[in-house]
Amino acid sequence: MRGTAFTAALGVVTALCLPGVAVAAGPGPDRAGSSASAGTSGPVEGTVRRLALESRSATEAAVSVRNTDRFGLMGVSWKDASAEVQGKIEARSRNAVTGAWTPWVELEPLKAGLDGVRPGARGATEPVWVGAADGAEVRVSGGTAALPAGLELDLVDPGKAGRGGAAKSAPASGARAAAAAVAPGPESTSPRPDVVTRAQWGADESLNNEGPIYLAGGKIKALFVHHTAAAAPYECADSAAIVRGLHVYHVKTNGWRDLGYNFLVDKCGTLFEGRQGGVDQPVMGAHTYGFNSESTSVAVLGDHTTAGASPEALEGISKMAAYKLGQYDADMDGTTTLTAGATQKNYAGTSFTAGQPYQFKTVSGHRDGFNTECPGHQLYPQLDTIRKSGPAARLKIGAVNEKAVVPGGTAKTPGPLVVDFSTSTAAPLVSSFELLVDGTSVATVGGDATRAATMLSLGSHRVQVRATAKNGKVSTSLPVTVEADVSDVKYVPVLPKRLMDTREGVGVPKAKVGPGEVAILKVAGVQGIPAYGVTSVALNVTATNPTEAGHVSVYPNGVARPSTSNLNFTAGQTIPNLVVVPVQDGMIQFYNSAGTVDLIADITGYFSK
């Protein structure tokens, strides 16, 4: 059974999503290859070295250390998580390669209880990534109140992939064993993106013996975008080390149960699995205070206060947003209602009252829910681009043969299949829809269509609709099962009778069918065919006198023209073919692709209920 949070509605806020600037540049601990192939030989053990700050007065303290073992991430912490530090906390680091010191930067203290009320939790600042450093200095000054006890500088070595002495795996506690037994998450309408798993980036799972917490409602309604802020320039080969550093700091320094973010993405667009519990699961993270109980998160590695995220990073966010929101029938470019878990204000000054509902965009920035600059002044305006970059959203089949059906439901037919579908994405943004039967495309219609049709062979079939957006991205509806069964359907053969002849004006006006034109033929109530109850007709269709090569498509009235052809011809050729076509509104349509052609249709039988 999925666990519940200590207070599901409360939510938590993550570190590394507050304003900051780069501390130090330099080569990172990992140089084995790009983050896109960030595999390791097993869990990598990270370490934290803590150095006590020396008191200079009741309101000032400092520490300076040089020629230390290399570290990649640093922050300041203190014993009482609820205590506040008055004045500025400033830090700088020394580059291990050049020996140069970076400028001083201010570290932002984090709110107490960010991952719940946890024994042993410490107060802390957000950590900063410094690359490869071997020296650090911290100073606290300018306050008017006494400093809290136990002020320490925390230096995190994220470990090196492939290094000997890898950390032991965590024991399979009851919580973790239960998590491993969780059923697969819901199917999404969007493809699951490639993700560097925790095992691949070298998560030390011995730090995580509590197991994940899943959203109490089991549904993700929004995705919050963050940046890790205060990060030094990095190479994408360093990304796995940065993620490991965050993991170690969040657990060993903050005292959190795990890494706060659900997912992370680097500037090369590589996605990383964050908080444990399953990429496909509604895992509760520690990212947006007050709104974690109904949302998930993606954090962009780097500081985007003065520069926007790369196109690759934006694409990574888009892919993850489409996948996670597509699991729960949400639109990336839509809105949703979230219930506040805390009374507070966001960055824009909007007030939230715990227990009250508020409207959010389904893809929101951290600042929309909490008083922080995150995801940065330059990344925040880019969110609208992300919202409009996804595939067709909320794609679903609503009816089969004009009878309502729900995703995962079952419908029956004697053979004709007319599928009504919908999407919340505007038609001008969609290129085409395809009707899939057992995974194979059987008909293609335009982006403004809402219906497609085909004939099914006997048996049970998995039916879906696949949409291709103008941006090339694809989404696929959840399937419905359609059982084709003729046990209660009657086929009535008839002596061949002519229903249509464009040469003589039978059934339609006397004229050849031109290129791209459609001839509409009424069949119900004609030539002895019943006016009601006919589900499809069997026709012998003949093309004659064509002026150039082309094809004819025969399909039900009222549906978008399929891409398939029923009859192919060359110039001057006369060619017949037997066609079984569903009847919609008592009429059927004949489409000619090229040139001009005369069409003839003779009825040979019909199907009725």
Side-chain angles (χ1 to χ4, degrees), residues 171 370 379 419 440:
F370 186 71
L379 173 53
V419 173
T440 300

Side-chain angles (χ1 to χ4, degrees), residues 444 513-518 541-544 546-555 561-571 573 575 577 589-599:
T444 301
V513 182
E517 291 183 352
V518 173
V541 178
T542 302
T544 188
T547 58
E548 59 183 273
H551 70 265
V552 171
S553 296
V554 187
Y555 54 100
R561 176 175 56 83
S563 60
T564 54
S565 66
N566 299 102
L567 188 63
N568 298 313
F569 51 78
T570 58
Q573 183 182 27
I575 183 171
N577 193 30
Q589 300 189 53
F590 298 77
Y591 166 82
N592 173 40
S593 68
T596 61
V597 65
D598 279 312
L599 297 177

Side-chain angles (χ1 to χ4, degrees), residues 96 195 198 342 363 375:
V195 177
R198 289 170 67 94
V363 174

Side-chain angles (χ1 to χ4, degrees), residues 4-221:
T4 57
F6 72 100
T7 303
L10 178 59
V12 286
V13 65
T14 184
L16 283 189
C17 212
L18 297 167
V21 287
V23 177
D30 278 359
R31 292 295 176 186
S34 72
S35 60
S37 57
T40 73
S41 60
V44 178
E45 185 173 15
T47 60
V48 178
R49 296 191 299 282
R50 296 187 173 95
L51 304 173
L53 270 65
E54 298 177 0
S55 177
R56 292 182 175 176
S57 70
T59 60
E60 295 184 340
V63 66
S64 178
V65 60
R66 304 183 182 213
N67 299 318
T68 68
D69 290 339
R70 289 193 181 190
F71 60 94
L73 184 133
M74 61 186 286
V76 173
S77 65
W78 50 94
K79 184 176 180 180
D80 185 355
S82 63
E84 295 185 1
V85 175
Q86 298 292 326
K88 290 184 178 180
I89 304 175
E90 297 176 295
R92 65 176 184 165
S93 63
R94 189 175 76 170
N95 189 291
V97 176
T98 67
W101 287 87
T102 63
W104 290 91
V105 295
E106 186 174 353
L107 304 183
E108 189 74 21
L110 297 172
K111 185 178 175 64
L114 304 181
D115 200 9
V117 179
R118 299 179 59 78
R122 293 175 61 83
T125 68
E126 88 280 4
V128 291
W129 176 253
V130 297
D134 63 359
E137 291 186 343
V138 171
R139 63 192 183 193
V140 184
S141 61
T144 58
L147 296 175
L151 277 167
E152 294 178 341
L153 167 62
D154 290 19
L155 305 177
V156 178
D157 174 8
K160 184 176 179 63
R163 184 173 63 189
K168 62 183 181 297
S169 297
S173 66
R176 292 197 53 186
V182 172
E187 189 175 353
S188 178
T189 55
S190 296
R192 174 170 166 165
D194 293 333
V195 177
V196 178
T197 67
R198 289 170 67 94
Q200 289 172 324
W201 58 255
D204 180 1
E205 300 294 9
S206 67
L207 300 177
N208 304 102
N209 58 7
E210 299 179 55
I213 294 175
Y214 295 101
L215 302 188
K219 181 178 181 180
I220 292 170
K221 299 170 67 176

Side-chain angles (χ1 to χ4, degrees), residues 173-559:
S173 66
R176 292 197 53 186
V182 172
E187 189 175 353
S188 178
T189 55
S190 296
R192 174 170 166 165
D194 293 333
V195 177
V196 178
T197 67
R198 289 170 67 94
Q200 289 172 324
W201 58 255
D204 180 1
E205 300 294 9
S206 67
L207 300 177
N208 304 102
N209 58 7
E210 299 179 55
I213 294 175
Y214 295 101
L215 302 188
K219 181 178 181 180
I220 292 170
K221 299 170 67 176
L223 180 142
F224 285 96
V225 178
H226 304 252
H227 68 168
T228 56
Y234 68 93
E235 299 295 332
C236 290
D238 302 330
S239 299
I242 297 174
V243 175
R244 290 199 301 273
L246 295 175
H247 180 216
V248 172
Y249 189 89
H250 285 181
V251 176
K252 289 189 175 183
T253 293
N254 294 107
W256 295 2
R257 66 188 302 114
D258 193 3
L259 177 59
Y261 305 112
N262 296 99
F263 303 97
L264 305 97
V265 64
D266 68 13
K267 63 185 180 182
C268 292
T270 302
L271 286 158
F272 294 82
E273 179 184 10
R275 182 159 285 208
Q276 68 177 201
V279 171
D280 62 337
Q281 297 294 324
V283 178
M284 177 176 282
H287 54 88
T288 307
Y289 183 75
F291 296 101
N292 289 302
S293 61
E294 298 177 294
S295 65
T296 189
S297 63
V298 176
V300 185
L301 299 184
D303 181 1
H304 297 291
T305 302
T306 59
S310 68
E312 293 81 5
L314 297 178
E315 180 65 8
I317 299 170
S318 174
K319 289 179 179 179
M320 184 54 69
Y323 170 65
K324 294 305 294 182
L325 295 173
Q327 288 185 292
Y328 304 96
D329 195 31
D331 187 342
M332 284 174 59
D333 196 25
T335 59
T336 189
T337 299
L338 303 179
T339 301
T343 298
Q344 59 176 334
K345 291 184 178 181
N346 69 5
Y347 187 70
T350 302
S351 296
F352 301 120
T353 300
Q356 296 300 308
Y358 298 92
Q359 189 174 74
F360 283 81
K361 293 183 177 180
T362 48
V363 174
S364 287
H366 187 186
R367 64 171 61 184
D368 293 319
F370 186 71
N371 188 12
T372 173
E373 291 182 7
C374 183
H377 294 315
Q378 301 306 311
L379 173 53
Y380 186 74
Q382 294 177 300
L383 298 186
D384 198 50
T385 299
I386 294 172
R387 296 182 186 108
K388 299 182 185 304
S389 65
R394 305 193 72 187
L395 180 63
K396 63 184 72 174
I397 294 174
V400 170
N401 294 345
E402 298 188 327
K403 292 185 178 180
V405 66
V406 297
T410 300
K412 291 186 177 182
T413 179
L417 176 67
V418 179
V419 173
D420 289 283
F421 54 86
S422 63
T423 173
S424 58
T425 298
L429 300 179
V430 183
S431 176
S432 65
F433 295 98
E434 295 171 87
L435 181 60
L436 306 181
V437 176
D438 300 325
T440 300
S441 177
V442 297
T444 301
V445 295
D448 58 349
T450 59
R451 178 177 282 183
T454 190
M455 287 291 294
L456 295 180
S457 60
L458 296 182
S460 180
H461 301 277
R462 178 183 171 96
V463 175
Q464 296 170 281
V465 172
R466 181 167 62 203
T468 301
K470 291 276 179 78
N471 60 19
K473 294 185 178 180
V474 172
S475 56
T476 306
S477 71
L478 299 182
V480 298
T481 299
V482 180
E483 297 177 353
D485 183 1
V486 296
S487 60
D488 59 349
V489 175
K490 181 180 180 182
Y491 175 69
V492 181
V494 298
L495 292 175
K497 297 178 182 178
R498 185 142 298 176
L499 298 184
M500 180 179 75
D501 191 337
T502 61
R503 300 170 303 176
E504 303 295 336
V506 176
V508 295
K510 181 180 179 180
K512 282 188 171 184
V513 182
E517 291 183 352
V518 173
I520 302 177
L521 175 67
K522 179 177 174 60
V523 293
V526 177
Q527 292 284 26
I529 303 172
Y532 303 99
V534 175
T535 59
S536 58
V537 292
L539 302 173
N540 189 45
V541 178
T542 302
T544 188
N545 303 322
T547 58
E548 59 183 273
H551 70 265
V552 171
S553 296
V554 187
Y555 54 100
N557 186 52
V559 306

